Amino acid sequence: LHAKIKKPQVQRILDSLADAGELQMKEFGKAKIYLLNQKNIPDVNQADLDKISKEVQDLRTTHRELTDEIKGLTADLKDLQNQLTDEQLDAEIAKYEKMLMEAESKLKVYESGNYPKISDEDMKKAEDKQQYYEKEFKKRKKMCMDMVNQVSEMADQKVANLIDEIGIDL
């Protein structure tokens, strides 16, 4: 009782209730145990027990149904919260309509034929130039890797560690 009522006072109250027949007292050595006197509790007939059991069962069923409904509504709420608002949808629609207009304007330019056309000769020159630069890149990369391999052998390091140390981008 959190020291609001002193122990001797509680002892006297419990003893007086035991003398009045409200409580039963059992002694086990120095310990005293007080129990509610069950003779004072009115008997309940089986019909009342069955009625209360049925009510409890009905309430449990109702509780289960309400819990399931809450779960479903919570899931629906999450789905709705994850969807875009009307303002966000309007902004997305406007963005995509603008992109569509830009793409259509580009398409009209190409459909009309009013764009600078590349001749087959210019295309061939550009392809040849690209192939030349790719060949040069591969040749220089091979020379670089040969040097890195030789340096890694002399330094007794792995090639990957040496490349990281030097800072070469491959």
Side-chain angles (χ1 to χ4, degrees):
L1 299 174
H2 305 287
K4 292 189 180 189
I5 300 175
K6 304 293 181 200
K7 184 177 178 183
Q9 188 178 2
V10 170
Q11 190 68 42
R12 279 193 305 272
I13 292 171
L14 289 174
D15 287 338
S16 67
L17 286 173
D19 291 340
E22 295 287 324
L23 298 177
Q24 278 183 317
M25 179 183 70
K26 294 191 178 192
E27 292 186 45
F28 297 101
K30 292 183 179 180
K32 292 181 182 179
I33 296 178
Y34 294 90
L35 304 169
L36 181 63
N37 190 352
Q38 294 189 6
K39 292 178 184 173
N40 296 338
I41 297 175
D43 290 337
V44 180
N45 62 21
Q46 189 61 35
D48 290 343
L49 284 176
D50 291 342
K51 180 181 174 186
I52 291 172
S53 295
K54 175 114 175 70
E55 286 179 21
V56 167
Q57 187 63 33
D58 290 344
L59 289 173
R60 283 186 180 152
T61 304
T62 306
H63 179 265
R64 195 174 319 114
E65 290 170 358
L66 289 175
T67 303
D68 292 343
E69 185 177 345
I70 288 172
K71 285 180 184 177
L73 291 173
T74 303
D76 291 346
L77 178 64
K78 275 187 182 177
D79 289 343
L80 290 174
Q81 287 175 340
N82 289 337
Q83 292 180 358
L84 297 176
T85 63
D86 289 344
E87 294 83 20
Q88 291 171 332
L89 286 173
D90 290 340
E92 288 287 317
I93 289 171
K95 179 178 102 175
Y96 287 119
E97 284 177 347
K98 181 180 176 186
M99 289 172 55
L100 178 63
M101 294 288 204
E102 291 172 0
E104 285 177 347
S105 66
K106 286 181 183 179
L107 180 61
K108 285 180 184 176
V109 169
Y110 288 115
E111 285 177 343
S112 67
N114 295 334
Y115 60 92
K117 296 178 183 170
I118 299 174
S119 67
D120 290 338
E121 183 179 312
D122 290 340
M123 188 65 138
K124 178 75 171 141
K125 284 181 184 177
E127 287 174 354
D128 291 343
K129 205 173 200 181
Q130 180 185 5
Q131 288 175 357
Y132 169 76
Y133 287 128
E134 283 180 11
K135 186 190 279 185
E136 284 297 316
F137 172 76
K138 289 178 183 178
K139 184 168 61 171
R140 290 178 185 185
K141 182 178 177 183
K142 185 176 183 333
M143 288 190 305
C144 178
M145 288 306 295
D146 288 342
M147 287 190 292
V148 168
N149 286 333
Q150 288 178 2
V151 170
S152 70
E153 284 179 18
M154 287 189 274
D156 288 333
Q157 279 187 320
K158 292 183 178 180
V159 175
N161 292 343
L162 184 63
I163 287 174
D164 287 341
E165 191 175 310
I166 296 173
I168 299 173
D169 293 329
L170 295 179

